[in-house]
Amino acid sequence: MGKIIAIANQKGGVGKTTTSINLAASLGVLEKKVLLIDADPQANATSGLGLDVENIEKGTYQILEHTITPKEAIVPTSSPNVDIIPAHIDLVAIEIELVDKDQREYMLKKAITSLKSEYDYILIDCAPSLGLLTLNALTASDAVIIPIQCEYFALEGLGKLLNTIKSVQKIHNKLLDIEGLLLTMYDSRLRLSNQVVEEVQKHFNEMVFKTIIQRNIRLSEAPSYGESIINYDASSKGASNYLSLAHEIIKKNS
């Protein structure tokens, strides 16, 4: 039975999509069957894995509307063992369309629960907001990974996100677990980076992944070629960081 993990933080630019793409690719290389669901209207996970966003006709939007089955939206990617349910800019409209629907927070859960038996991991790349889309992702998930960039405002907004997770646990999804906090964009030369790491580890100790994702040029180049870091440059620091994270998650869930 697979595990559904949302990758969420309402702050933009913290490495959510980078983590979604590269964790999916790393788990795939380690022979796990992975489905990545792009639940962000910016559709960066979709383009980052080499799909042409303009030509997406079946994706997360149609699944949330329940006009197609999730299986009809699944597309294989060039990463071994990784499939994707892509997104398109039309996903922006879903928040408004779902507002007056019954059980609007459960639309994604209803759609994807049947896929759990077919994948080891289903990862959901969330939008940088705490709107209905992210709520749907958290309600559908077994756990959440929270990327935190090693920068000055890192902890700002984290309290808000943790409160949202608490209320989702209380109202919609009792079993939602925090898989871990993931420190990203770490630069060992910067005192600030090191301070943020210390601060987060001190506050959240066991909840923080041991793996820290370092700043890496190759990592930021890869999406523009529509490739994961594993396909783009398997020998890079970024690739070894995400493989280490994948190992950590597999070990935790075995």
Side-chain angles (χ1 to χ4, degrees):
M1 198 60 162
K3 182 168 192 176
I4 303 178
I5 303 176
I7 295 164
N9 189 331
Q10 76 273 30
K11 279 174 74 106
V14 296
K16 275 191 299 293
T17 302
T18 304
T19 295
S20 304
I21 292 172
N22 295 310
L23 175 57
S26 300
L27 288 165
V29 165
L30 298 172
E31 296 184 346
K32 299 292 177 191
K33 206 162 178 317
V34 186
L35 174 66
L36 175 57
I37 298 174
D38 193 345
D40 181 353
Q42 295 173 59
N44 290 339
T46 301
S47 61
L49 278 174
L51 277 73
D52 179 0
V53 175
E54 295 306 312
N55 291 326
I56 300 300
E57 284 168 14
K58 296 175 176 173
T60 314
Y61 178 75
Q62 287 75 16
I63 287 175
L64 284 162
E65 278 199 320
H66 295 274
T67 51
I68 60 168
T69 67
K71 280 197 172 146
E72 291 175 74
I74 292 172
V75 184
T77 72
S78 59
S79 282
N81 298 319
V82 180
D83 292 339
I84 188 170
I85 292 179
H88 182 275
I89 186 69
D90 60 9
L91 195 53
V92 161
I94 202 76
E95 304 247 338
I96 300 156
E97 289 172 27
L98 288 181
V99 151
D100 49 4
K101 292 265 199 301
D102 263 356
Q103 294 216 303
R104 55 180 184 238
E105 296 89 353
Y106 297 90
M107 294 299 181
L108 189 60
K109 187 185 176 87
K110 281 182 192 152
I112 66 172
T113 303
S114 63
L115 297 174
K116 281 181 86 167
S117 56
E118 299 186 29
Y119 290 94
D120 297 308
Y121 292 95
I122 296 176
L123 304 180
I124 307 174
D125 184 27
C126 294
S129 75
L130 293 176
L132 253 181
L133 263 175
T134 300
L135 213 49
N136 262 276
L138 293 173
T139 302
S141 296
D142 301 306
V144 54
I145 289 174
I146 304 170
I148 300 170
Q149 87 281 42
C150 297
E151 283 168 11
Y152 185 64
F153 291 116
L155 297 175
E156 200 183 64
L158 186 59
K160 202 171 173 186
L161 177 60
L162 293 172
N163 285 338
T164 301
I165 290 168
K166 270 200 190 106
S167 69
V168 169
Q169 286 165 331
K170 207 188 294 178
I171 305 164
H172 304 297
N173 182 359
K174 280 194 212 33
L175 302 174
L176 182 64
D177 198 10
I178 293 179
E179 188 76 11
L181 305 181
L182 176 67
L183 290 156
T184 62
M185 304 180 193
Y186 172 72
D187 185 339
S188 57
R189 298 164 306 184
L190 299 180
R191 212 170 100 220
L192 181 62
S193 266
N194 294 305
Q195 282 171 339
V196 171
V197 170
E198 271 173 41
E199 190 88 347
V200 171
Q201 287 172 339
K202 190 175 78 190
H203 277 288
F204 298 102
N205 46 52
E206 290 302 299
M207 282 163 69
V208 187
F209 284 112
K210 290 185 177 61
T211 304
I212 294 177
I213 309 298
Q214 291 165 306
R215 263 192 195 287
N216 180 252
I217 300 289
R218 308 296 277 167
L219 203 50
S220 42
E221 285 173 356
S224 61
Y225 293 90
E227 292 188 338
S228 73
I229 189 65
I230 307 293
N231 281 14
Y232 181 64
D233 185 354
S235 63
S236 67
K237 198 80 176 147
S240 71
N241 286 168
Y242 277 108
L243 280 166
S244 155
L245 176 65
H247 277 295
E248 204 175 327
I249 287 171
I250 292 169
K251 191 174 167 194
K252 192 175 175 180
N253 288 292
S254 57

